[in-house]
Amino acid sequence: QVNLVESGGGSVQPGGSLRLSCAASPYSYSNYCLGWFRQAPGKEREKVAVIYTGDGSTYYADSVKGRFTLSQDNAQNTLHLQMDSLKRDDTAMYYCAARTFCSAGYLQHSTALGYNYWGQGTQVTVSS
C-alpha cells in the first residue's frame, strides 16, 4: 500500500508559477513510476509528467515540455512538479499517481489505468 498526499495547488494568473508536491509513503528509489496526471471538467484524465525512480528517467506531455519540471526531494520522500509559464489550458485537478514494480520503459506509453495508487487531487486554476 502506497499513500500519496498532494499539496501546492491554487489559483494563479497566466504566465505565473506553482509548485505541486506529492509526499509518498513508502517512497521507493528503486522501482516506482511516480508522477502527475490532470483532469479538466468533461475531459479524460491525462498524463502530465512521470518519473521512474530507479534511474530518474522522465516523461513529459508535449503540452508541458519546457514549462514543467519534476524533481525528487530525497530527504522528504517527496516528488515536486514545478509549473512555470502557466496557461489557462493547464487548469485542472492534478493527481499524484504511483505504479509499483515499474520500469523506465513504462513511462511513455502508460495511461492512468496502469497506475495503482492515487492521491486525492489538488486543484490548479489559471485565470486572469
Side-chain angles (χ1 to χ4, degrees):
Q1 183 74 20
V2 179
N3 187 42
L4 304 173
V5 179
E6 303 111 328
S7 60
S11 296
V12 65
Q13 293 185 343
S17 298
L18 284 173
R19 189 176 80 157
L20 304 184
S21 299
C22 175
S25 178
Y27 196 111
S28 171
Y29 291 91
S30 62
N31 64 358
Y32 280 7
C33 288
L34 182 64
W36 296 90
F37 288 72
R38 68 186 179 187
Q39 188 166 21
K43 295 188 177 181
E44 293 187 356
R45 191 168 296 190
E46 66 169 336
K47 185 170 57 181
V48 176
V50 289
I51 188 169
Y52 173 56
T53 61
D55 63 8
S57 299
T58 56
Y59 164 90
Y60 293 94
D62 287 343
S63 58
V64 307
K65 278 181 183 176
R67 300 189 298 120
F68 290 12
T69 306
L70 287 168
S71 63
Q72 295 185 86
D73 183 336
N74 295 352
Q76 299 293 327
N77 289 341
T78 298
L79 180 70
H80 300 294
L81 180 67
Q82 179 66 39
M83 306 187 295
D84 299 320
S85 302
L86 283 161
K87 305 176 181 180
R88 289 183 176 83
D89 287 348
D90 295 318
T91 296
M93 185 70 79
Y94 283 70
Y95 297 91
C96 182
R99 176 183 172 91
T100 54
F101 303 102
C102 201
S103 65
Y106 194 79
L107 293 178
Q108 183 172 1
H109 300 293
S110 57
T111 67
L113 291 175
Y115 289 75
N116 45 354
Y117 297 100
W118 292 86
Q120 79 283 1
T122 186
Q123 178 68 37
V124 171
T125 302
V126 184
S127 173
S128 55

